Coordinates of all heavy atoms in Angstrom, one line a residue:
F539 N -4.5 55.4 -31.4 CA -5.9 55.9 -31.6 C -6.0 57.3 -30.9 O -5.9 57.3 -29.7 CB -6.9 54.9 -31.1 CG -8.3 55.5 -30.9 CD1 -9.3 55.3 -31.8 CD2 -8.6 56.2 -29.7 CE1 -10.6 55.8 -31.6 CE2 -9.9 56.7 -29.5 CZ -10.9 56.5 -30.5
E541 N -8.2 60.6 -30.0 CA -9.5 61.2 -30.0 C -9.5 62.4 -29.0 O -8.9 62.3 -27.9 CB -10.7 60.2 -29.6 CG -12.0 61.0 -29.5 CD -13.2 60.0 -29.5 OE1 -13.1 58.8 -29.2 OE2 -14.3 60.6 -29.7
D542 N -10.2 63.5 -29.3 CA -10.3 64.6 -28.4 C -11.4 64.2 -27.4 O -12.5 64.7 -27.5 CB -10.6 65.9 -29.1 CG -10.5 67.1 -28.2 OD1 -10.2 66.9 -27.0 OD2 -10.8 68.2 -28.6
I543 N -11.0 63.4 -26.4 CA -11.8 63.0 -25.3 C -10.9 63.2 -24.1 O -9.7 63.1 -24.2 CB -12.3 61.6 -25.4 CG1 -13.2 61.1 -24.3 CG2 -11.2 60.6 -25.6 CD1 -13.9 59.7 -24.5
N544 N -11.4 63.5 -22.9 CA -10.6 63.6 -21.7 C -9.6 64.8 -21.7 O -8.6 64.7 -21.1 CB -9.8 62.3 -21.4 CG -10.6 61.1 -21.4 OD1 -11.7 61.0 -20.8 ND2 -10.1 60.0 -22.0
R732 N -4.5 57.0 -35.9 CA -5.9 57.2 -36.3 C -6.3 58.5 -35.7 O -6.1 58.7 -34.5 CB -6.7 56.0 -35.8 CG -8.2 56.3 -35.9 CD -8.9 55.1 -35.4 NE -10.3 55.4 -35.1 CZ -11.2 54.5 -34.9 NH1 -11.0 53.2 -35.1 NH2 -12.5 54.8 -34.7
P734 N -9.6 61.8 -36.2 CA -9.7 62.5 -34.9 C -10.5 61.7 -33.9 O -10.8 62.2 -32.8 CB -10.3 63.8 -35.2 CG -11.3 63.5 -36.3 CD -10.7 62.4 -37.1
G735 N -10.8 60.5 -34.1 CA -11.6 59.6 -33.1 C -12.1 58.4 -33.8 O -11.7 58.2 -35.0
G736 N -13.0 57.8 -33.3 CA -13.9 57.9 -32.2 C -15.2 58.6 -32.5 O -15.5 59.1 -33.6
C737 N -16.1 58.6 -31.5 CA -17.4 59.2 -31.6 C -17.4 60.6 -32.0 O -18.4 61.2 -32.5 CB -18.2 59.0 -30.3 SG -18.6 57.3 -29.9
I738 N -16.2 61.3 -31.8 CA -16.2 62.7 -32.1 C -16.3 63.0 -33.6 O -16.7 64.0 -34.0 CB -14.9 63.4 -31.5 CG1 -15.1 64.8 -31.3 CG2 -13.7 63.1 -32.4 CD1 -14.3 65.4 -30.1
V739 N -16.0 62.0 -34.3 CA -16.1 62.0 -35.8 C -17.6 62.2 -36.1 O -18.0 63.0 -37.0 CB -15.6 60.8 -36.5 CG1 -15.9 60.7 -37.9 CG2 -14.1 60.6 -36.2
E740 N -18.4 61.5 -35.4 CA -19.9 61.4 -35.7 C -20.6 62.6 -35.2 O -21.6 63.0 -35.8 CB -20.4 60.1 -35.1 CG -19.7 58.9 -35.5 CD -20.0 57.7 -34.6 OE1 -21.2 57.3 -34.6 OE2 -19.1 57.2 -33.9
R766 N -18.3 66.8 -28.1 CA -19.4 65.9 -27.8 C -19.3 65.3 -26.4 O -20.3 64.9 -25.8 CB -19.5 64.8 -28.9 CG -18.3 64.0 -29.0 CD -18.5 62.6 -29.4 NE -19.3 61.9 -28.4 CZ -20.5 61.3 -28.6 NH1 -21.0 61.3 -29.8 NH2 -21.1 60.7 -27.6
W767 N -18.1 65.3 -25.8 CA -17.9 64.7 -24.5 C -18.3 65.7 -23.4 O -18.3 65.3 -22.2 CB -16.5 64.2 -24.3 CG -16.2 63.1 -25.4 CD1 -15.4 63.3 -26.5 CD2 -16.7 61.8 -25.4 NE1 -15.4 62.1 -27.2 CE2 -16.2 61.2 -26.6 CE3 -17.6 61.0 -24.6 CZ2 -16.5 59.9 -26.9 CZ3 -17.8 59.7 -25.0 CH2 -17.3 59.2 -26.1
F771 N -21.6 62.2 -20.4 CA -21.8 61.4 -19.2 C -22.2 62.2 -18.0 O -21.5 63.1 -17.6 CB -20.5 60.6 -18.8 CG -20.0 59.7 -19.8 CD1 -18.8 59.8 -20.4 CD2 -20.9 58.6 -20.3 CE1 -18.3 58.9 -21.3 CE2 -20.4 57.7 -21.2 CZ -19.2 57.8 -21.8
C811 N -23.8 60.0 -34.2 CA -23.5 58.8 -33.2 C -24.9 58.1 -33.0 O -25.9 58.7 -32.6 CB -22.9 59.4 -31.9 SG -22.6 58.1 -30.8
F813 N -25.4 56.1 -30.6 CA -25.7 56.0 -29.2 C -26.5 57.3 -28.8 O -27.0 57.4 -27.7 CB -24.5 55.9 -28.3 CG -23.8 54.6 -28.5 CD1 -22.6 54.4 -29.1 CD2 -24.4 53.4 -27.9 CE1 -22.0 53.2 -29.2 CE2 -23.8 52.2 -28.0 CZ -22.6 52.1 -28.7
N868 N -17.3 56.0 -38.1 CA -16.6 55.4 -37.0 C -17.2 54.1 -36.5 O -17.0 53.1 -37.2 CB -16.6 56.4 -35.8 CG -16.1 55.9 -34.5 OD1 -15.1 55.2 -34.5 ND2 -16.8 56.1 -33.4
E869 N -18.1 54.2 -35.5 CA -18.6 52.9 -34.9 C -20.0 52.8 -35.4 O -20.9 52.7 -34.5 CB -18.5 53.1 -33.4 CG -18.3 51.8 -32.6 CD -18.1 52.1 -31.2 OE1 -18.8 52.9 -30.6 OE2 -17.1 51.6 -30.6
Q870 N -20.3 52.7 -36.7 CA -21.6 52.7 -37.2 C -22.2 51.2 -37.2 O -21.4 50.3 -37.2 CB -21.7 53.3 -38.6 CG -20.8 54.5 -38.9 CD -21.0 55.6 -38.0 OE1 -20.1 56.4 -37.9 NE2 -22.1 55.8 -37.2
W871 N -23.5 51.1 -37.3 CA -24.1 49.8 -37.5 C -25.4 49.9 -38.3 O -25.9 51.0 -38.6 CB -24.3 49.1 -36.2 CG -25.3 49.7 -35.3 CD1 -26.6 49.6 -35.3 CD2 -25.0 50.6 -34.1 NE1 -27.2 50.3 -34.3 CE2 -26.2 50.9 -33.5 CE3 -23.8 51.0 -33.5 CZ2 -26.3 51.7 -32.4 CZ3 -23.9 51.8 -32.4 CH2 -25.1 52.2 -31.8
G900 N -19.4 47.9 -36.2 CA -20.2 48.2 -35.0 C -19.4 48.3 -33.8 O -18.1 48.2 -33.8
P901 N -20.1 48.5 -32.7 CA -19.4 48.8 -31.4 C -18.9 47.6 -30.6 O -18.2 47.7 -29.7 CB -20.4 49.5 -30.6 CG -21.7 49.1 -31.2 CD -21.5 48.7 -32.6
D924 N -13.0 47.3 -39.0 CA -12.5 47.9 -37.8 C -13.3 47.3 -36.6 O -14.5 47.6 -36.4 CB -12.8 49.4 -37.9 CG -12.4 50.2 -36.7 OD1 -11.8 49.7 -35.7 OD2 -12.8 51.4 -36.6
H926 N -14.0 46.6 -32.5 CA -13.8 47.3 -31.2 C -14.2 46.4 -30.1 O -15.2 45.7 -30.2 CB -14.8 48.5 -31.1 CG -14.4 49.6 -32.1 ND1 -15.1 50.8 -32.2 CD2 -13.5 49.7 -33.1 CE1 -14.6 51.6 -33.1 NE2 -13.6 50.9 -33.7
Y928 N -14.2 46.7 -25.9 CA -14.1 47.2 -24.5 C -14.7 46.1 -23.6 O -15.9 46.0 -23.5 CB -14.8 48.5 -24.3 CG -14.2 49.6 -25.2 CD1 -14.8 50.0 -26.4 CD2 -13.1 50.3 -24.8 CE1 -14.3 51.0 -27.2 CE2 -12.5 51.3 -25.6 CZ -13.2 51.7 -26.7 OH -12.6 52.7 -27.5
G954 N -9.3 48.3 -34.0 CA -9.2 49.8 -33.9 C -9.4 50.4 -32.6 O -8.9 51.5 -32.3
E955 N -10.1 49.7 -31.7 CA -10.3 50.3 -30.3 C -10.4 49.1 -29.4 O -11.3 48.3 -29.5 CB -11.6 51.1 -30.2 CG -11.6 52.4 -31.0 CD -12.9 53.2 -30.8 OE1 -13.4 53.2 -29.7 OE2 -13.3 53.9 -31.8
Y956 N -9.5 49.0 -28.4 CA -9.7 48.0 -27.4 C -9.0 48.4 -26.1 O -8.0 49.2 -26.1 CB -9.1 46.6 -27.9 CG -7.6 46.6 -28.1 CD1 -6.7 46.4 -27.1 CD2 -7.2 46.9 -29.4 CE1 -5.4 46.3 -27.4 CE2 -5.8 46.8 -29.7 CZ -4.9 46.6 -28.7 OH -3.6 46.5 -29.0
A957 N -9.5 47.9 -25.0 CA -8.9 48.2 -23.7 C -9.7 47.3 -22.7 O -10.9 47.2 -22.8 CB -9.1 49.6 -23.3
T963 N -17.5 48.7 -18.9 CA -17.3 49.7 -19.9 C -18.1 51.0 -19.5 O -19.2 50.9 -18.9 CB -17.9 49.3 -21.3 OG1 -17.4 48.0 -21.5 CG2 -17.5 50.2 -22.4
V964 N -17.4 52.1 -19.6 CA -17.8 53.5 -19.2 C -18.0 53.6 -17.7 O -18.4 54.7 -17.2 CB -19.0 54.1 -20.0 CG1 -18.8 54.0 -21.5 CG2 -20.3 53.5 -19.5
Y997 N -4.9 50.6 -29.0 CA -5.6 50.8 -27.7 C -6.4 52.0 -27.7 O -6.0 53.0 -28.3 CB -4.5 50.9 -26.6 CG -5.1 50.9 -25.2 CD1 -5.1 49.8 -24.4 CD2 -5.5 52.1 -24.7 CE1 -5.6 49.8 -23.1 CE2 -6.0 52.2 -23.4 CZ -6.0 51.1 -22.6 OH -6.5 51.1 -21.3
A998 N -7.5 52.1 -27.0 CA -8.3 53.3 -27.0 C -9.0 53.5 -25.6 O -9.4 52.5 -25.0 CB -9.4 53.3 -28.1
P999 N -9.3 54.8 -25.2 CA -8.7 56.0 -25.7 C -7.2 56.2 -25.3 O -6.7 55.4 -24.5 CB -9.6 57.1 -25.1 CG -10.8 56.4 -24.5 CD -10.3 55.0 -24.2
L1000 N -6.7 57.3 -25.9 CA -5.2 57.5 -25.8 C -4.9 58.3 -24.5 O -4.1 57.9 -23.7 CB -4.7 58.2 -27.0 CG -3.3 58.5 -27.1 CD1 -2.4 57.3 -27.2 CD2 -3.0 59.4 -28.4
W1009 N -13.7 59.5 -19.6 CA -13.7 58.0 -19.9 C -12.4 57.4 -19.3 O -11.4 58.0 -19.5 CB -13.7 57.9 -21.4 CG -13.7 56.5 -21.9 CD1 -12.7 55.5 -21.8 CD2 -14.7 55.8 -22.7 NE1 -13.0 54.4 -22.4 CE2 -14.3 54.5 -23.0 CE3 -16.0 56.2 -23.2 CZ2 -15.0 53.6 -23.7 CZ3 -16.7 55.3 -23.9 CH2 -16.2 54.0 -24.2
P1011 N -10.7 53.3 -18.8 CA -9.2 53.5 -18.7 C -8.7 54.2 -20.0 O -9.4 54.2 -21.0 CB -8.6 52.1 -18.6 CG -9.6 51.3 -19.4 CD -11.0 51.9 -19.1
D1012 N -7.5 54.8 -19.9 CA -6.9 55.5 -21.0 C -5.4 55.2 -20.9 O -4.8 55.0 -19.9 CB -7.1 57.0 -20.8 CG -8.6 57.3 -20.7 OD1 -9.3 57.3 -21.7 OD2 -9.0 57.6 -19.5
Ligands
LIG1297 O1 -12.8 55.4 -27.0 C1 -14.0 56.0 -26.6 C2 -15.2 55.7 -27.5 O2 -15.5 54.4 -27.5 C3 -15.0 56.1 -28.9 O3 -15.2 57.4 -29.2 C4 -16.0 55.3 -29.6 O4 -15.6 55.0 -30.9 C5 -16.1 54.1 -28.7 O5 -17.5 53.8 -28.4

Side-chain angles (χ1 to χ4, degrees):
F539 163 98
E541 174 164 19
D542 187 4
I543 182 173
N544 307 316
R732 165 181 166 163
C737 291
I738 206 150
V739 170
E740 305 164 64
R766 56 148 300 120
W767 300 105
F771 297 123
C811 184
F813 290 112
N868 172 44
E869 208 174 51
Q870 322 305 159
W871 64 81
D924 177 10
H926 294 182
Y928 295 100
E955 293 184 31
Y956 62 89
T963 313
V964 309
Y997 183 99
L1000 180 64
W1009 179 296
D1012 305 287

